[in-house]
Amino acid sequence: MNPSDPIAVLTGDLVRSTEMSPWDMVAAMEALAHTAKVIALWPGMGPLHFTRHRGDGWQVALPDPRFAIRAALLFRASLKVRGTGFDSAIAIATGVAEGPVGPDLNRETGGPFVMSGRALDDRHRRKEPRLILADPALAEGPVGAAALLLDRVATGWTQAQALALTLALPPDPPDVSAIAERLGKSRQAVAKALSAAWWVETTGALARIEGTWR
């Protein structure tokens, strides 16, 4: 990451983590860490430093901010593969890192890291949705409106839908037949799951957001 380039910081915490067993907590964090490795392969990304913090919390910095909402949805889908009770609230902040980003994000004190963490903390007081945009200019505009709807869609994903979405949400996904083959399921079953998950509409909205992201 170039210190002068804008980044997106995603700060999350697991939903209802106090009800999780220690094994479920470990599995959830492993799913998030694996997803960070998948996102690192997206265009314009590169190695991501996924960091766990505050017990049920986590953070990751993306070198390409335009993919921030798509990445947040993929993180949530990866959790829901474990079951519909698994999910994470995620706050997104964009800005300049103000220096080289190290492997331990708990040590980062740059603007977007602080803004993202504070937005997540504020969510609990304000009872906001699970997908939060920390920048008011984004949150109060059309991107914020789309994020509200995408959050509602993601909250309703089932386990089967989330499994298909882990392969269908990246920027250049395989076609439905290839996804079905990789999952060992019929094409009809995968197509049905993606349709019920509003995949076409979700990825259409994401493409429009990414095309206008500043």
Side-chain angles (χ1 to χ4, degrees):
M1 298 180 188
N2 188 322
S4 63
D5 290 339
I7 63 172
V9 176
L10 279 61
T11 305
D13 61 13
L14 298 174
V15 174
R16 293 189 294 273
S17 60
T18 56
E19 301 172 15
M20 288 184 175
S21 69
W23 299 275
D24 283 341
M25 180 76 74
V26 169
M29 287 296 171
E30 287 179 347
L32 291 168
H34 173 73
T35 301
K37 293 179 181 178
V38 171
I39 295 170
L41 301 176
W42 292 3
M45 290 296 182
L48 305 182
H49 301 308
F50 174 86
T51 301
R52 180 177 178 178
H53 71 114
R54 298 190 299 183
D56 67 346
W58 57 275
Q59 194 168 63
V60 68
L62 307 182
D64 193 338
R66 69 187 158 129
F67 287 129
I69 295 177
R70 187 184 294 268
L73 294 179
L74 186 60
F75 278 118
R76 293 181 64 181
S78 73
L79 289 173
K80 286 179 173 289
V81 169
R82 302 282 309 173
T84 54
F86 287 78
D87 202 353
S88 179
I90 302 174
I92 300 170
T94 60
V96 176
E98 301 175 16
V101 177
D104 183 2
L105 300 186
N106 288 319
R107 297 177 177 272
E108 298 298 329
T109 58
F113 292 93
V114 174
M115 186 184 300
S116 179
R118 286 178 177 170
L120 187 67
D121 290 339
D122 288 345
R123 173 201 173 248
H124 299 292
R125 292 192 294 271
R126 299 178 183 178
K127 298 182 180 180
E128 291 179 339
R130 293 175 185 176
L131 181 59
I132 308 108
L133 301 181
D135 184 344
L138 288 177
E140 296 170 7
V143 173
L148 283 172
L149 295 175
L150 291 172
D151 173 77
R152 182 64 186 88
V153 169
T155 300
W157 287 338
T158 66
Q159 191 172 13
Q161 292 165 8
L163 180 60
L165 287 165
T166 58
L167 298 177
L169 276 174
D172 187 18
D175 61 28
V176 175
S177 296
I179 292 173
E181 183 175 354
R182 289 178 61 178
L183 295 179
K185 298 181 179 295
S186 71
R187 186 188 187 285
Q188 181 181 17
V190 170
K192 182 178 180 180
L194 291 175
S195 177
W198 294 84
W199 172 55
V200 171
E201 295 82 359
T202 295
T203 53
L206 289 171
R208 287 164 174 79
I209 289 170
E210 291 156 6
T212 59
W213 191 278
R214 297 291 184 271

